[in-house]
Amino acid sequence: MRQTWSVFSMVCEPVEILRRFVEHNLAMGASYVHLFFDKGDDQTYDDFANQPGVIAQRCDAAYWEGLNRRRPPYVERRQLVNGRVAYERCLTDWQAHFDADELVLTQGATLGELLARVPSGFQTAHLGTVEPMLVPHGHDGPVPFRRSVRHLKFRARLHVYGDDLQVFRNGLFGHYQGKSILRAGLPGWSHGIHFPRPSAPEIHNEIFELNEAHIAHMHCENRDLWVKRTMVKMCDSGYNLRTGSYDLLPLVAPETTGQEYLAEEDLVTILSGFYDRVSLLSDSLRTRMEAFDLLQYHEVERLG
């Protein structure tokens, strides 16, 4: 027995990321992928407008006028509005809210089969976060993914990541909250960012944990891109990692403390070294992670 599911996503990514996202979800069994192109003039829209299995929506002035509202100034608010539209038009038993750099993974069963096992009293099925890791040159096989260490005691976390734990405290570069799939047909409900939004504050969201499914956050699959994004965020006071603030240098490179200026090439070297220490799956790191069941392996297309 299986149930149908679809995916909603507000997007503003290069075509190769969207291509992988769409193809991956359809291959995993999604009935369709509902893409909301955040920029009304996004040329990438043309690549998906007529693709089977995709509903493509331009979020241009006409779209917002059709909703009888102004375009919200903040990204998350636009996601919430678009999520409500997607859910109201949902054509499947369940609908997920995933970002374009997030790929659903399952073990032992298809997602449709796992959703069919969710008891009727639960509105939400939840997937925990995993992140891809790098492997030494010459490795051939499935991609290794790491789980969060939030469930471990401090001594175990420290054993795995050592001094880097003060920055890498959740064992992930990105969010640890995971993502959710919302049961269709619930009046007044809509998608949130990580968890759905009930129709009223007094209504409790019953969440069923899908232990055989995870969301792979692929934002850190490439070292160079991660370093570049991190350098941008370190210069923006509006950012603050849940794994530690973007004032990273005193933590990952104590020898830089007190230095007023650091050359860009030195910063790249420091951040690349930090990335490799926690993401390059050396034999020693593999042994430490396997001791706490922090690794799983999946066949996933890597970009970059």
Side-chain angles (χ1 to χ4, degrees):
M1 180 179 177
R2 63 184 294 273
Q3 292 200 308
T4 59
W5 57 281
S6 56
V7 179
F8 138 71
S9 187
M10 189 179 82
V11 299
C12 186
E13 279 83 14
V15 66
E16 64 270 14
I17 292 179
L18 294 183
R19 177 198 54 77
R20 178 179 66 176
F21 179 68
V22 167
E23 291 180 356
H24 179 88
N25 280 293
L26 295 178
M28 293 294 289
S31 297
Y32 66 90
V33 179
H34 199 161
L35 299 178
F36 289 75
F37 288 82
D38 190 37
K39 294 182 179 179
D41 59 351
D42 192 335
Q43 298 302 308
T44 306
Y45 168 88
D46 297 327
D47 292 285
F48 298 93
N50 298 310
Q51 179 174 339
V54 175
I55 300 174
Q57 172 65 60
R58 283 191 188 276
C59 297
D60 54 13
Y63 169 73
W64 293 109
E65 289 173 6
L67 297 180
N68 196 28
R69 64 175 303 150
R70 294 180 179 177
R71 182 179 188 267
Y74 299 109
V75 171
E76 288 193 353
R77 184 58 188 165
R78 296 197 297 276
Q79 283 183 302
L80 296 178
V81 175
N82 290 330
R84 181 175 294 278
V85 172
Y87 186 66
E88 289 174 349
R89 301 175 183 176
C90 181
L91 303 172
T92 51
D93 298 318
W94 295 81
Q95 189 171 70
H97 175 199
F98 299 151
D99 292 332
D101 62 356
E102 296 173 334
L103 305 177
V104 61
L105 305 173
T106 63
Q107 296 171 300
T110 67
L111 185 58
E113 291 169 339
L114 295 176
L115 291 172
R117 302 173 190 173
V118 178
S120 59
F122 291 84
Q123 299 98 342
T124 299
H126 180 256
L127 299 78
T129 306
V130 294
E131 288 182 342
M133 300 185 69
L134 295 183
V135 292
H137 182 69
H139 169 85
D140 186 26
V143 177
F145 287 84
R146 59 170 164 246
R147 298 170 56 212
S148 169
V149 297
R150 287 178 59 82
H151 63 289
L152 298 179
K153 294 183 178 180
F154 176 76
R155 188 181 296 274
R157 300 185 201 186
L158 189 63
H159 175 73
V160 176
Y161 290 116
D163 291 341
D164 286 316
L165 183 66
Q166 57 189 329
V167 178
F168 209 55
R169 64 187 65 172
N170 294 315
L172 299 169
F173 282 126
H175 66 77
Y176 61 84
Q177 294 94 333
K179 284 298 180 75
S180 299
I181 309 176
L182 177 60
R183 190 186 296 273
L186 301 176
W189 285 62
S190 63
H191 293 290
I193 303 302
H194 295 280
F195 295 92
R197 298 161 67 91
S199 56
E202 64 272 14
I203 295 180
H204 181 64
N205 180 19
E206 294 290 346
I207 301 173
F208 186 85
E209 195 69 34
L210 292 178
N211 294 318
E212 298 88 358
H214 293 82
I215 193 71
H217 197 184
M218 304 296 290
H219 69 128
C220 57
E221 64 183 313
N222 180 290
R223 178 198 296 113
D224 293 340
L225 290 179
W226 180 85
V227 169
K228 290 178 181 178
R229 283 198 300 265
T230 300
M231 290 174 64
V232 170
K233 293 176 180 179
M234 290 174 68
C235 299
D236 189 336
S237 61
Y239 282 96
N240 189 287
L241 274 174
R242 283 189 172 87
T243 52
S245 74
Y246 273 103
D247 188 18
L248 295 174
L249 290 184
L251 301 177
V252 301
E255 66 275 12
T256 65
T257 301
Q259 295 186 27
E260 295 184 3
Y261 172 78
L262 195 65
E264 181 175 323
E265 56 268 28
D266 293 333
L267 183 56
V268 169
T269 298
I270 290 171
L271 292 177
S272 297
F274 168 59
Y275 180 98
D276 285 348
R277 289 198 300 274
V278 298
S279 289
L280 183 59
L281 194 57
S282 62
D283 290 340
S284 59
L285 180 56
R286 183 195 305 271
T287 299
R288 299 197 302 272
M289 296 183 74
E290 287 179 342
F292 298 100
D293 192 28
L294 296 176
L295 285 175
Q296 52 185 250
Y297 297 83
H298 299 276
E299 293 284 357
V300 171
E301 178 189 359
R302 302 189 76 140
L303 301 177

